């Protein structure tokens, strides 16, 4: 799991590349305010081993919080790592 914190109005964009094995991937947004609800940005799904295109998604938050990217490769016999990157664009004033 990866936690990425950002402020209200910011946009986060992320990419995930898989090579040669399948894994499960999901994303959710957890607001910083205690009375707010967690949002499922992308349901947990299997990414096939032969995925030609990287997973690409973006989310703009209305309030400060954190994005949780879940990557699970426990189905693989060998522990392998997926490559990921993310960008946070601050809100325009």
């Amino acid at each position: 799991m990866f936690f990425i914190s950002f402020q209200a109005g910011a946009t986060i964009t992320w990419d995930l590349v898989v090579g040669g094995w399948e894994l499960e991937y999901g994303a959710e947004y957890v607001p910083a305010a205690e009375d707010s609800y967690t949002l499922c940005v992308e349901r947990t799904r299997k990414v096939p081993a032969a995925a030609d295109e990287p997973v690409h998604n973006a989310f703009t938050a209305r309030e400060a919080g954190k994005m949780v990217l879940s990557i699970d490769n426990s189905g693989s016999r060998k522990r392998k790592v997926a490559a990921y990157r993310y960008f946070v664009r601050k809100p325009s004033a």
Side-chain angles (χ1 to χ4, degrees), residues 30-67:
V30 181
E34 290 184 22
D35 59 341
S36 296
Y37 294 101
T38 299
L39 298 174
C40 180
V41 176
E42 193 162 346
R43 292 179 144 197
T44 302
R45 64 182 173 108
K46 278 192 175 186
V47 179
D52 295 333
E53 306 251 340
V55 174
H56 178 78
N57 207 341
F59 179 77
T60 302
R62 293 185 182 177
E63 56 186 290
K66 62 184 172 184
M67 181 65 64

Side-chain angles (χ1 to χ4, degrees), residues 14-15 26 29 34 55 61 64 70:
W14 65 93
D15 297 312
Y29 169 71
E34 290 184 22
V55 174
S70 302

Side-chain angles (χ1 to χ4, degrees), residues 63-75:
E63 56 186 290
K66 62 184 172 184
M67 181 65 64
V68 180
L69 299 177
S70 302
I71 301 170
D72 180 20
N73 67 345
S74 61

Side-chain angles (χ1 to χ4, degrees), residues 1 3 23 39 49 92-93:
M1 277 191 208
F3 301 97
L23 54 80
L39 298 174
S92 56

